[in-house]
Amino acid sequence: MSLTQTRYTISEVEARTGLTQHTLRWYERIGLMPHVDRSHSGQRRFSDKDLDWLAFVGKLRTTGMSVADMVRYAELVREGGHTSRERRELLERTRREVRARITELNDALAVLDYKIDIYSMDTVAMNGVATSPVAEEAERT
């Protein structure tokens, strides 16, 4: 087993994650990114563990979690295992919010599907004729 870990420059992390260097520096500044090692010349050196963390943060961003909550979660992680209950509660709240958004989006999707079906039927029925009463009604709803 090798004792050396792969280290990535900020440019390499930008290329791997799609996050800009500005965003990576900002994450570090606000406490969202754990301590990043530095080379002897002061350049940031990211580890595979850092990349895993950034992937997780990306998932949190996708959920719509606020930056403040993400920073709080990162603080709790750094504080240690005794904060696991608080971390779980934060993630459970986020999960509830995501599920509610999924329900809203599924409802919106059903409306879109309904409208598309009406227009599809109308297009087949029309065959070049003026808009039917069904399509006119669908436009009003």
Side-chain angles (χ1 to χ4, degrees):
M1 177 187 265
S2 172
L3 294 178
T4 62
Q5 292 183 3
T6 304
R7 296 292 177 177
Y8 306 95
T9 65
I10 196 166
S11 296
E12 291 169 326
V13 173
E14 178 180 42
R16 286 175 176 267
T17 65
L19 296 169
T20 66
Q21 292 181 33
H22 173 77
T23 298
L24 292 166
R25 289 183 191 104
W26 181 64
Y27 279 5
E28 188 177 7
R29 192 170 52 253
I30 65 171
L32 187 53
M33 191 69 208
H35 173 74
V36 177
D37 286 337
R38 304 278 180 150
S39 70
H40 66 281
S41 62
Q43 288 184 320
R44 288 172 180 84
R45 292 293 188 191
F46 295 84
S47 67
D48 287 323
K49 186 176 177 181
D50 294 329
L51 293 180
D52 290 344
W53 174 255
L54 289 169
F56 178 67
V57 167
K59 296 300 182 195
L60 294 179
R61 284 180 35 223
T62 299
T63 70
M65 182 184 276
S66 71
V67 172
D69 280 347
M70 287 188 284
V71 169
R72 178 65 184 141
Y73 183 86
E75 289 169 349
L76 291 169
V77 168
R78 283 190 295 275
E79 288 177 23
H82 70 280
T83 66
S84 64
R85 183 183 57 75
E86 288 177 80
R87 285 184 267 162
R88 187 190 75 241
E89 289 170 356
L90 182 58
L91 294 176
E92 286 174 345
R93 186 183 77 221
T94 301
R95 180 176 58 189
R96 284 190 303 274
E97 292 166 357
V98 167
R99 285 185 172 155
R101 282 191 20 238
I102 288 170
T103 299
E104 290 172 7
L105 288 171
N106 279 327
D107 291 346
L109 183 60
V111 170
L112 291 173
D113 288 342
Y114 170 78
K115 290 286 210 177
I116 290 167
D117 288 346
I118 292 219
Y119 290 123
S120 295
M121 289 185 296
D122 192 49
T123 301
V124 169
M126 279 184 5
N127 235 354
V129 179
T131 306
S132 73
V134 172
E136 289 173 5
E137 178 61 27
E139 276 300 308
R140 288 192 292 269
T141 59

mmCIF file of all heavy atoms in Angstrom, residues 19-57:
data_model
loop_
_atom_site.group_PDB
_atom_site.id
_atom_site.type_symbol
_atom_site.label_atom_id
_atom_site.label_comp_id
_atom_site.label_asym_id
_atom_site.label_seq_id
_atom_site.Cartn_x
_atom_site.Cartn_y
_atom_site.Cartn_z
ATOM 1 N N LEU A 19 -16.392 22.983 -11.048
ATOM 2 C CA LEU A 19 -16.459 24.159 -10.178
ATOM 3 C C LEU A 19 -15.334 25.102 -10.561
ATOM 4 O O LEU A 19 -14.212 24.656 -10.808
ATOM 5 C CB LEU A 19 -16.318 23.757 -8.708
ATOM 6 C CG LEU A 19 -17.425 22.879 -8.149
ATOM 7 C CD1 LEU A 19 -17.022 22.330 -6.778
ATOM 8 C CD2 LEU A 19 -18.730 23.642 -8.055
ATOM 9 N N THR A 20 -15.612 26.385 -10.590
ATOM 10 C CA THR A 20 -14.561 27.338 -10.929
ATOM 11 C C THR A 20 -13.576 27.478 -9.774
ATOM 12 O O THR A 20 -13.904 27.164 -8.625
ATOM 13 C CB THR A 20 -15.152 28.733 -11.238
ATOM 14 O OG1 THR A 20 -15.737 29.262 -10.036
ATOM 15 C CG2 THR A 20 -16.193 28.670 -12.357
ATOM 16 N N GLN A 21 -12.401 27.952 -10.086
ATOM 17 C CA GLN A 21 -11.406 28.201 -9.038
ATOM 18 C C GLN A 21 -11.935 29.223 -8.043
ATOM 19 O O GLN A 21 -11.702 29.099 -6.838
ATOM 20 C CB GLN A 21 -10.096 28.676 -9.662
ATOM 21 C CG GLN A 21 -9.421 27.585 -10.475
ATOM 22 C CD GLN A 21 -8.111 28.029 -11.087
ATOM 23 O OE1 GLN A 21 -7.384 28.831 -10.501
ATOM 24 N NE2 GLN A 21 -7.796 27.496 -12.262
ATOM 25 N N HIS A 22 -12.665 30.203 -8.549
ATOM 26 C CA HIS A 22 -13.263 31.212 -7.674
ATOM 27 C C HIS A 22 -14.214 30.543 -6.665
ATOM 28 O O HIS A 22 -14.175 30.838 -5.465
ATOM 29 C CB HIS A 22 -14.018 32.252 -8.509
ATOM 30 C CG HIS A 22 -14.807 33.225 -7.706
ATOM 31 N ND1 HIS A 22 -14.228 34.289 -7.042
ATOM 32 C CD2 HIS A 22 -16.135 33.285 -7.418
ATOM 33 C CE1 HIS A 22 -15.153 34.964 -6.395
ATOM 34 N NE2 HIS A 22 -16.319 34.378 -6.610
ATOM 35 N N THR A 23 -15.051 29.620 -7.151
ATOM 36 C CA THR A 23 -15.991 28.908 -6.272
ATOM 37 C C THR A 23 -15.248 28.065 -5.253
ATOM 38 O O THR A 23 -15.602 28.046 -4.069
ATOM 39 C CB THR A 23 -16.953 28.033 -7.102
ATOM 40 O OG1 THR A 23 -17.721 28.890 -7.960
ATOM 41 C CG2 THR A 23 -17.880 27.221 -6.221
ATOM 42 N N LEU A 24 -14.202 27.372 -5.692
ATOM 43 C CA LEU A 24 -13.418 26.538 -4.765
ATOM 44 C C LEU A 24 -12.788 27.383 -3.666
ATOM 45 O O LEU A 24 -12.808 26.997 -2.494
ATOM 46 C CB LEU A 24 -12.348 25.767 -5.539
ATOM 47 C CG LEU A 24 -12.891 24.694 -6.486
ATOM 48 C CD1 LEU A 24 -11.811 24.235 -7.453
ATOM 49 C CD2 LEU A 24 -13.464 23.527 -5.707
ATOM 50 N N ARG A 25 -12.248 28.533 -4.039
ATOM 51 C CA ARG A 25 -11.664 29.430 -3.032
ATOM 52 C C ARG A 25 -12.747 29.965 -2.085
ATOM 53 O O ARG A 25 -12.533 30.086 -0.876
ATOM 54 C CB ARG A 25 -10.940 30.587 -3.707
ATOM 55 C CG ARG A 25 -9.663 30.178 -4.391
ATOM 56 C CD ARG A 25 -8.940 31.396 -4.985
ATOM 57 N NE ARG A 25 -7.875 30.975 -5.855
ATOM 58 C CZ ARG A 25 -7.920 31.011 -7.201
ATOM 59 N NH1 ARG A 25 -8.981 31.494 -7.819
ATOM 60 N NH2 ARG A 25 -6.897 30.594 -7.912
ATOM 61 N N TRP A 26 -13.916 30.296 -2.649
ATOM 62 C CA TRP A 26 -15.025 30.795 -1.844
ATOM 63 C C TRP A 26 -15.493 29.725 -0.868
ATOM 64 O O TRP A 26 -15.714 30.021 0.314
ATOM 65 C CB TRP A 26 -16.159 31.234 -2.774
ATOM 66 C CG TRP A 26 -17.359 31.792 -2.056
ATOM 67 C CD1 TRP A 26 -17.420 32.930 -1.296
ATOM 68 C CD2 TRP A 26 -18.671 31.223 -2.040
ATOM 69 N NE1 TRP A 26 -18.704 33.105 -0.810
ATOM 70 C CE2 TRP A 26 -19.487 32.074 -1.254
ATOM 71 C CE3 TRP A 26 -19.239 30.093 -2.613
ATOM 72 C CZ2 TRP A 26 -20.833 31.816 -1.029
ATOM 73 C CZ3 TRP A 26 -20.590 29.840 -2.390
ATOM 74 C CH2 TRP A 26 -21.361 30.693 -1.602
ATOM 75 N N TYR A 27 -15.640 28.479 -1.340
ATOM 76 C CA TYR A 27 -16.019 27.377 -0.450
ATOM 77 C C TYR A 27 -15.050 27.287 0.730
ATOM 78 O O TYR A 27 -15.467 27.080 1.866
ATOM 79 C CB TYR A 27 -16.016 26.045 -1.199
ATOM 80 C CG TYR A 27 -17.229 25.743 -2.035
ATOM 81 C CD1 TYR A 27 -18.259 26.661 -2.214
ATOM 82 C CD2 TYR A 27 -17.350 24.510 -2.661
ATOM 83 C CE1 TYR A 27 -19.360 26.360 -2.987
ATOM 84 C CE2 TYR A 27 -18.465 24.193 -3.428
ATOM 85 C CZ TYR A 27 -19.465 25.131 -3.588
ATOM 86 O OH TYR A 27 -20.562 24.815 -4.341
ATOM 87 N N GLU A 28 -13.781 27.424 0.442
ATOM 88 C CA GLU A 28 -12.780 27.345 1.505
ATOM 89 C C GLU A 28 -12.923 28.535 2.467
ATOM 90 O O GLU A 28 -12.888 28.371 3.683
ATOM 91 C CB GLU A 28 -11.377 27.311 0.893
ATOM 92 C CG GLU A 28 -10.286 27.038 1.891
ATOM 93 C CD GLU A 28 -8.909 26.946 1.249
ATOM 94 O OE1 GLU A 28 -8.751 27.220 0.045
ATOM 95 O OE2 GLU A 28 -7.975 26.614 1.991
ATOM 96 N N ARG A 29 -13.130 29.716 1.902
ATOM 97 C CA ARG A 29 -13.219 30.935 2.707
ATOM 98 C C ARG A 29 -14.432 30.915 3.648
ATOM 99 O O ARG A 29 -14.334 31.351 4.797
ATOM 100 C CB ARG A 29 -13.280 32.155 1.779
ATOM 101 C CG ARG A 29 -13.102 33.472 2.460
ATOM 102 C CD ARG A 29 -12.926 34.656 1.502
ATOM 103 N NE ARG A 29 -13.952 34.768 0.476
ATOM 104 C CZ ARG A 29 -13.780 34.496 -0.826
ATOM 105 N NH1 ARG A 29 -12.610 34.108 -1.285
ATOM 106 N NH2 ARG A 29 -14.770 34.636 -1.680
ATOM 107 N N ILE A 30 -15.573 30.387 3.184
ATOM 108 C CA ILE A 30 -16.777 30.414 4.015
ATOM 109 C C ILE A 30 -16.877 29.209 4.946
ATOM 110 O O ILE A 30 -17.806 29.104 5.733
ATOM 111 C CB ILE A 30 -18.062 30.526 3.165
ATOM 112 C CG1 ILE A 30 -18.273 29.284 2.299
ATOM 113 C CG2 ILE A 30 -18.055 31.816 2.357
ATOM 114 C CD1 ILE A 30 -19.624 29.237 1.592
ATOM 115 N N GLY A 31 -15.922 28.285 4.849
ATOM 116 C CA GLY A 31 -15.915 27.134 5.740
ATOM 117 C C GLY A 31 -16.657 25.923 5.205
ATOM 118 O O GLY A 31 -16.885 24.971 5.936
ATOM 119 N N LEU A 32 -17.030 25.963 3.929
ATOM 120 C CA LEU A 32 -17.721 24.819 3.335
ATOM 121 C C LEU A 32 -16.742 23.726 2.949
ATOM 122 O O LEU A 32 -17.081 22.551 2.938
ATOM 123 C CB LEU A 32 -18.513 25.276 2.101
ATOM 124 C CG LEU A 32 -19.419 24.254 1.457
ATOM 125 C CD1 LEU A 32 -20.372 23.620 2.460
ATOM 126 C CD2 LEU A 32 -20.208 24.905 0.330
ATOM 127 N N MET A 33 -15.541 24.112 2.683
ATOM 128 C CA MET A 33 -14.481 23.171 2.316
ATOM 129 C C MET A 33 -13.592 22.981 3.537
ATOM 130 O O MET A 33 -13.148 23.956 4.140
ATOM 131 C CB MET A 33 -13.680 23.792 1.157
ATOM 132 C CG MET A 33 -12.724 22.904 0.471
ATOM 133 S SD MET A 33 -13.607 21.670 -0.454
ATOM 134 C CE MET A 33 -12.388 20.406 -0.418
ATOM 135 N N PRO A 34 -13.345 21.732 3.924
ATOM 136 C CA PRO A 34 -12.443 21.532 5.063
ATOM 137 C C PRO A 34 -11.048 22.061 4.724
ATOM 138 O O PRO A 34 -10.784 22.421 3.575
ATOM 139 C CB PRO A 34 -12.437 20.018 5.253
ATOM 140 C CG PRO A 34 -12.938 19.450 3.986
ATOM 141 C CD PRO A 34 -13.780 20.490 3.316
ATOM 142 N N HIS A 35 -10.202 22.070 5.691
ATOM 143 C CA HIS A 35 -8.845 22.567 5.483
ATOM 144 C C HIS A 35 -8.218 21.889 4.266
ATOM 145 O O HIS A 35 -8.197 20.667 4.172
ATOM 146 C CB HIS A 35 -7.981 22.316 6.717
ATOM 147 C CG HIS A 35 -6.540 22.642 6.497
ATOM 148 N ND1 HIS A 35 -6.101 23.939 6.436
ATOM 149 C CD2 HIS A 35 -5.465 21.850 6.276
ATOM 150 C CE1 HIS A 35 -4.796 23.923 6.206
ATOM 151 N NE2 HIS A 35 -4.391 22.666 6.105
ATOM 152 N N VAL A 36 -7.729 22.697 3.348
ATOM 153 C CA VAL A 36 -7.071 22.181 2.146
ATOM 154 C C VAL A 36 -5.574 22.307 2.361
ATOM 155 O O VAL A 36 -5.071 23.367 2.740
ATOM 156 C CB VAL A 36 -7.512 22.970 0.894
ATOM 157 C CG1 VAL A 36 -6.768 22.484 -0.342
ATOM 158 C CG2 VAL A 36 -9.013 22.856 0.695
ATOM 159 N N ASP A 37 -4.870 21.205 2.125
ATOM 160 C CA ASP A 37 -3.413 21.226 2.271
ATOM 161 C C ASP A 37 -2.792 22.188 1.264
ATOM 162 O O ASP A 37 -3.387 22.497 0.231
ATOM 163 C CB ASP A 37 -2.831 19.827 2.057
ATOM 164 C CG ASP A 37 -3.101 18.899 3.243
ATOM 165 O OD1 ASP A 37 -3.334 19.406 4.356
ATOM 166 O OD2 ASP A 37 -3.079 17.680 3.032
ATOM 167 N N ARG A 38 -1.601 22.642 1.589
ATOM 168 C CA ARG A 38 -0.849 23.543 0.708
ATOM 169 C C ARG A 38 0.514 22.931 0.434
ATOM 170 O O ARG A 38 1.097 22.249 1.276
ATOM 171 C CB ARG A 38 -0.651 24.908 1.375
ATOM 172 C CG ARG A 38 -1.902 25.613 1.819
ATOM 173 C CD ARG A 38 -2.556 26.328 0.698
ATOM 174 N NE ARG A 38 -3.770 27.005 1.157
ATOM 175 C CZ ARG A 38 -4.220 28.105 0.630
ATOM 176 N NH1 ARG A 38 -3.572 28.679 -0.348
ATOM 177 N NH2 ARG A 38 -5.328 28.632 1.068
ATOM 178 N N SER A 39 1.008 23.215 -0.754
ATOM 179 C CA SER A 39 2.364 22.790 -1.100
ATOM 180 C C SER A 39 3.355 23.715 -0.401
ATOM 181 O O SER A 39 2.963 24.718 0.203
ATOM 182 C CB SER A 39 2.570 22.844 -2.615
ATOM 183 O OG SER A 39 2.593 24.198 -3.052
ATOM 184 N N HIS A 40 4.624 23.408 -0.514
ATOM 185 C CA HIS A 40 5.648 24.255 0.117
ATOM 186 C C HIS A 40 5.607 25.681 -0.418
ATOM 187 O O HIS A 40 6.001 26.618 0.260
ATOM 188 C CB HIS A 40 7.044 23.641 -0.065
ATOM 189 C CG HIS A 40 7.498 23.612 -1.483
ATOM 190 N ND1 HIS A 40 7.054 22.662 -2.379
ATOM 191 C CD2 HIS A 40 8.337 24.430 -2.166
ATOM 192 C CE1 HIS A 40 7.602 22.895 -3.569
ATOM 193 N NE2 HIS A 40 8.386 23.956 -3.456
ATOM 194 N N SER A 41 5.079 25.854 -1.652
ATOM 195 C CA SER A 41 4.994 27.196 -2.236
ATOM 196 C C SER A 41 3.637 27.862 -1.978
ATOM 197 O O SER A 41 3.383 28.961 -2.458
ATOM 198 C CB SER A 41 5.254 27.132 -3.738
ATOM 199 O OG SER A 41 4.268 26.332 -4.366
ATOM 200 N N GLY A 42 2.778 27.181 -1.211
ATOM 201 C CA GLY A 42 1.492 27.772 -0.845
ATOM 202 C C GLY A 42 0.337 27.418 -1.767
ATOM 203 O O GLY A 42 -0.782 27.881 -1.540
ATOM 204 N N GLN A 43 0.585 26.607 -2.791
ATOM 205 C CA GLN A 43 -0.503 26.215 -3.685
ATOM 206 C C GLN A 43 -1.404 25.199 -3.013
ATOM 207 O O GLN A 43 -0.931 24.292 -2.322
ATOM 208 C CB GLN A 43 0.042 25.598 -4.979
ATOM 209 C CG GLN A 43 0.676 26.580 -5.917
ATOM 210 C CD GLN A 43 1.091 25.873 -7.212
ATOM 211 O OE1 GLN A 43 1.577 24.752 -7.195
ATOM 212 N NE2 GLN A 43 0.886 26.557 -8.317
ATOM 213 N N ARG A 44 -2.699 25.357 -3.257
ATOM 214 C CA ARG A 44 -3.656 24.395 -2.715
ATOM 215 C C ARG A 44 -3.407 23.033 -3.348
ATOM 216 O O ARG A 44 -3.196 22.925 -4.540
ATOM 217 C CB ARG A 44 -5.080 24.845 -3.013
ATOM 218 C CG ARG A 44 -5.525 26.032 -2.202
ATOM 219 C CD ARG A 44 -6.888 26.539 -2.713
ATOM 220 N NE ARG A 44 -7.332 27.678 -1.946
ATOM 221 C CZ ARG A 44 -6.958 28.939 -2.169
ATOM 222 N NH1 ARG A 44 -6.112 29.214 -3.146
ATOM 223 N NH2 ARG A 44 -7.404 29.916 -1.415
ATOM 224 N N ARG A 45 -3.512 21.995 -2.519
ATOM 225 C CA ARG A 45 -3.373 20.610 -2.983
ATOM 226 C C ARG A 45 -4.562 19.829 -2.442
ATOM 227 O O ARG A 45 -4.666 19.587 -1.246
ATOM 228 C CB ARG A 45 -2.061 19.992 -2.486
ATOM 229 C CG ARG A 45 -0.840 20.603 -3.108
ATOM 230 C CD ARG A 45 -0.828 20.264 -4.564
ATOM 231 N NE ARG A 45 0.426 20.672 -5.175
ATOM 232 C CZ ARG A 45 0.617 20.690 -6.466
ATOM 233 N NH1 ARG A 45 -0.343 20.332 -7.281
ATOM 234 N NH2 ARG A 45 1.766 21.058 -6.957
ATOM 235 N N PHE A 46 -5.449 19.450 -3.328
ATOM 236 C CA PHE A 46 -6.669 18.739 -2.959
ATOM 237 C C PHE A 46 -6.439 17.237 -3.010
ATOM 238 O O PHE A 46 -5.734 16.734 -3.878
ATOM 239 C CB PHE A 46 -7.807 19.117 -3.912
ATOM 240 C CG PHE A 46 -8.214 20.566 -3.833
ATOM 241 C CD1 PHE A 46 -7.527 21.535 -4.554
ATOM 242 C CD2 PHE A 46 -9.285 20.965 -3.049
ATOM 243 C CE1 PHE A 46 -7.898 22.873 -4.501
ATOM 244 C CE2 PHE A 46 -9.670 22.299 -2.987
ATOM 245 C CZ PHE A 46 -8.971 23.251 -3.714
ATOM 246 N N SER A 47 -7.083 16.524 -2.108
ATOM 247 C CA SER A 47 -6.969 15.064 -2.040
ATOM 248 C C SER A 47 -8.220 14.414 -2.646
ATOM 249 O O SER A 47 -9.213 15.088 -2.944
ATOM 250 C CB SER A 47 -6.831 14.619 -0.579
ATOM 251 O OG SER A 47 -8.041 14.880 0.116
ATOM 252 N N ASP A 48 -8.158 13.103 -2.782
ATOM 253 C CA ASP A 48 -9.341 12.367 -3.234
ATOM 254 C C ASP A 48 -10.493 12.564 -2.243
ATOM 255 O O ASP A 48 -11.658 12.659 -2.636
ATOM 256 C CB ASP A 48 -9.027 10.872 -3.390
ATOM 257 C CG ASP A 48 -8.159 10.593 -4.606
ATOM 258 O OD1 ASP A 48 -8.346 11.252 -5.652
ATOM 259 O OD2 ASP A 48 -7.288 9.705 -4.516
ATOM 260 N N LYS A 49 -10.163 12.633 -0.968
ATOM 261 C CA LYS A 49 -11.182 12.883 0.059
ATOM 262 C C LYS A 49 -11.849 14.247 -0.170
ATOM 263 O O LYS A 49 -13.062 14.377 -0.033
ATOM 264 C CB LYS A 49 -10.539 12.816 1.447
ATOM 265 C CG LYS A 49 -11.514 12.910 2.587
ATOM 266 C CD LYS A 49 -10.799 12.741 3.922
ATOM 267 C CE LYS A 49 -11.764 12.915 5.073
ATOM 268 N NZ LYS A 49 -11.129 12.777 6.371
ATOM 269 N N ASP A 50 -11.051 15.251 -0.541
ATOM 270 C CA ASP A 50 -11.605 16.571 -0.859
ATOM 271 C C ASP A 50 -12.548 16.486 -2.056
ATOM 272 O O ASP A 50 -13.615 17.115 -2.065
ATOM 273 C CB ASP A 50 -10.488 17.579 -1.161
ATOM 274 C CG ASP A 50 -9.623 17.896 0.041
ATOM 275 O OD1 ASP A 50 -10.127 17.863 1.177
ATOM 276 O OD2 ASP A 50 -8.417 18.174 -0.171
ATOM 277 N N LEU A 51 -12.167 15.718 -3.067
ATOM 278 C CA LEU A 51 -13.020 15.561 -4.252
ATOM 279 C C LEU A 51 -14.331 14.868 -3.882
ATOM 280 O O LEU A 51 -15.400 15.242 -4.382
ATOM 281 C CB LEU A 51 -12.298 14.780 -5.351
ATOM 282 C CG LEU A 51 -11.096 15.482 -5.988
ATOM 283 C CD1 LEU A 51 -10.471 14.595 -7.052
ATOM 284 C CD2 LEU A 51 -11.472 16.833 -6.569
ATOM 285 N N ASP A 52 -14.255 13.875 -3.006
ATOM 286 C CA ASP A 52 -15.472 13.200 -2.541
ATOM 287 C C ASP A 52 -16.377 14.191 -1.810
ATOM 288 O O ASP A 52 -17.599 14.192 -1.988
ATOM 289 C CB ASP A 52 -15.133 12.026 -1.615
ATOM 290 C CG ASP A 52 -14.478 10.864 -2.346
ATOM 291 O OD1 ASP A 52 -14.547 10.799 -3.594
ATOM 292 O OD2 ASP A 52 -13.878 10.008 -1.656
ATOM 293 N N TRP A 53 -15.779 15.027 -0.974
ATOM 294 C CA TRP A 53 -16.546 16.033 -0.235
ATOM 295 C C TRP A 53 -17.218 16.995 -1.205
ATOM 296 O O TRP A 53 -18.397 17.325 -1.059
ATOM 297 C CB TRP A 53 -15.641 16.778 0.749
ATOM 298 C CG TRP A 53 -16.350 17.909 1.433
ATOM 299 C CD1 TRP A 53 -16.216 19.240 1.183
ATOM 300 C CD2 TRP A 53 -17.333 17.804 2.471
ATOM 301 N NE1 TRP A 53 -17.040 19.969 1.997
ATOM 302 C CE2 TRP A 53 -17.734 19.111 2.799
ATOM 303 C CE3 TRP A 53 -17.902 16.737 3.149
ATOM 304 C CZ2 TRP A 53 -18.696 19.381 3.774
ATOM 305 C CZ3 TRP A 53 -18.855 17.004 4.125
ATOM 306 C CH2 TRP A 53 -19.241 18.317 4.429
ATOM 307 N N LEU A 54 -16.476 17.445 -2.220
ATOM 308 C CA LEU A 54 -17.034 18.365 -3.204
ATOM 309 C C LEU A 54 -18.191 17.717 -3.968
ATOM 310 O O LEU A 54 -19.186 18.385 -4.288
ATOM 311 C CB LEU A 54 -15.957 18.850 -4.171
ATOM 312 C CG LEU A 54 -14.942 19.820 -3.570
ATOM 313 C CD1 LEU A 54 -13.768 20.033 -4.520
ATOM 314 C CD2 LEU A 54 -15.613 21.149 -3.227
ATOM 315 N N ALA A 55 -18.090 16.426 -4.249
ATOM 316 C CA ALA A 55 -19.191 15.713 -4.917
ATOM 317 C C ALA A 55 -20.420 15.706 -4.012
ATOM 318 O O ALA A 55 -21.550 15.921 -4.474
ATOM 319 C CB ALA A 55 -18.759 14.297 -5.280
ATOM 320 N N PHE A 56 -20.218 15.481 -2.721
ATOM 321 C CA PHE A 56 -21.321 15.490 -1.761
ATOM 322 C C PHE A 56 -21.947 16.881 -1.676
ATOM 323 O O PHE A 56 -23.178 17.024 -1.699
ATOM 324 C CB PHE A 56 -20.839 15.020 -0.386
ATOM 325 C CG PHE A 56 -21.902 15.057 0.670
ATOM 326 C CD1 PHE A 56 -23.000 14.214 0.598
ATOM 327 C CD2 PHE A 56 -21.807 15.943 1.731
ATOM 328 C CE1 PHE A 56 -23.999 14.253 1.568
ATOM 329 C CE2 PHE A 56 -22.787 15.989 2.707
ATOM 330 C CZ PHE A 56 -23.890 15.143 2.626
ATOM 331 N N VAL A 57 -21.112 17.911 -1.604
ATOM 332 C CA VAL A 57 -21.613 19.284 -1.561
ATOM 333 C C VAL A 57 -22.433 19.574 -2.820
ATOM 334 O O VAL A 57 -23.475 20.237 -2.757
ATOM 335 C CB VAL A 57 -20.447 20.290 -1.398
ATOM 336 C CG1 VAL A 57 -20.896 21.722 -1.662
ATOM 337 C CG2 VAL A 57 -19.848 20.170 0.003
#
